Amino acid sequence: MYCANPTTEGLNMSLDEALLDSIAPFQDKGLLGDVLMELKSGKEATVYVCAGGPRARSGTYLAVKIYRPPEHRQFKDDGLYRAGVTITNPRTRRAMEGRTSFGKEALFGSWVGREWANLSLLHQNNLCVPRPIDHSDTAIIMEYLCDELGDPPSPSPQLRSVKLTEPQASACWDDVVWSVETLLRLNRVHGDLSPYNLLWHAARGQPHRPWIIDVPQMIDARENPNAFELLSRDLENVYKYLSRYAALPDPWKLAGSLWSRFKRGWV
């Protein structure tokens, strides 16, 4: 699912007890088999590719995103994304704002749960995202997006690493705009869209298209006062990359048009 430098060397050492504890429940359910390689390790989570277990289709590979325990996790400055979100419990709200141990636990659970809910919403509405399969308090299993043959196959690349033809870049931009508008019709803004979290993937029998990943920060455009700023930034980030390959419409005018239609109820 993620484009990285997959490596199996030292894998057992990197799979510490906390990570193994996160994987074990899925193995017990028969969803996951062996952990095959690490795909991406960041400040907040590590992604592995695993063989599918007995309950998965034969020959299936799955991606499991395992969030780091709160004491080892460096949370993003997510105030931009949490603006407008009401935490009803005052103790929890104060703890989250003060980043106490309890507050970090609450943020941790909220971040994982939000990614699962957002991924499920996008998949249910036919956006190009990895199919969500199962989740726990600390991890999410999803479809492993890959193009090349292999055992396991190589992951689909990030858009940032792909050289496109002019027609491909134009079609990619149209797909991104459709996705952004569809999200907005669902009252959502991705908030962190860029060539780093769009994968260039071809589903079976389909041409390559941009697939969206990493969605825990996605916001409700009706509630967050930063929604238009984030919408504009999403389009600008992708435009800056794709405009190397093709002449594209002005992303700022497009953001304004979409936002105006959204505020008018799409009339």
Side-chain angles (χ1 to χ4, degrees):
M1 191 194 69
Y2 291 82
C3 181
N5 294 319
T7 176
T8 56
E9 185 177 355
L11 182 60
N12 291 334
M13 294 180 65
S14 66
L15 282 173
D16 59 30
E17 186 174 347
L19 296 182
L20 288 171
D21 286 346
S22 294
I23 293 172
F26 301 125
Q27 292 176 323
D28 292 343
K29 289 182 179 181
L31 293 172
L32 293 182
D34 293 336
V35 179
L36 302 177
M37 64 183 184
E38 179 182 307
L39 293 180
K40 178 183 178 182
S41 182
K43 295 178 180 179
E44 296 155 356
T46 302
V47 182
Y48 298 94
V49 58
C50 301
R55 287 180 56 193
R57 190 176 65 221
S58 177
T60 296
Y61 298 98
L62 301 174
V64 57
K65 184 172 185 177
I66 302 173
Y67 288 82
R68 300 188 184 284
E71 63 271 20
H72 299 302
R73 187 170 185 262
Q74 301 179 44
F75 282 92
K76 291 179 180 177
D77 181 12
D78 60 355
L80 189 67
Y81 305 109
R82 291 189 293 106
V85 177
T86 302
I87 307 299
T88 55
N89 186 304
R91 175 173 176 257
T92 301
R93 183 174 62 250
R94 288 193 300 269
M96 291 172 71
E97 291 172 350
R99 300 299 173 110
T100 65
S101 296
F102 172 73
K104 288 182 179 181
E105 289 279 359
L107 280 168
F108 176 68
S110 171
W111 206 247
V112 179
R114 281 168 61 184
E115 175 138 41
W116 172 259
N118 292 338
L119 191 62
S120 299
L121 175 68
L122 270 58
H123 184 262
Q124 290 163 7
N125 284 276
N126 300 314
L127 281 97
C128 290
V129 295
R131 179 172 60 92
I133 295 171
D134 199 1
H135 75 294
S136 67
D137 292 338
T138 60
I140 295 175
I141 303 178
M142 63 192 85
E143 176 185 8
Y144 172 48
L145 299 184
C146 54
D147 289 338
E148 300 177 11
L149 298 177
D151 189 16
S154 299
S156 297
Q158 291 168 315
L159 182 62
R160 71 181 181 94
S161 65
V162 179
K163 293 183 178 181
L164 304 171
T165 64
E166 182 176 350
Q168 285 177 321
S170 295
C172 182
W173 175 251
D174 289 343
D175 278 339
V176 168
V177 171
W178 178 85
S179 296
V180 168
E181 180 176 344
T182 302
L183 281 174
L184 199 54
R185 288 183 181 276
L186 295 170
N187 303 310
R188 299 294 187 270
V189 174
H190 185 281
D192 194 29
L193 201 63
S194 79
Y196 286 84
N197 48 31
L198 288 168
L199 298 188
W200 191 239
H201 174 68
R204 184 173 299 178
Q206 300 294 320
H208 280 82
R209 298 182 63 183
W211 286 59
I212 299 171
I213 59 172
D214 290 337
V215 295
Q217 75 295 316
M218 199 164 69
I219 62 156
D220 190 319
R222 298 166 298 183
E223 300 174 354
N224 192 305
N226 305 306
F228 177 66
E229 175 188 350
L230 293 169
L231 172 71
S232 301
R233 191 177 71 179
D234 282 351
L235 289 169
E236 179 183 358
N237 285 341
V238 182
Y239 170 87
K240 284 181 177 178
Y241 183 76
L242 293 179
S243 61
R244 301 175 186 178
Y245 304 102
L248 302 174
D250 187 314
W252 302 277
K253 289 183 179 179
L254 176 59
S257 175
L258 288 175
W259 188 250
S260 177
R261 292 167 61 201
F262 168 71
K263 297 297 284 185
R264 298 198 310 268
W266 301 101
V267 295

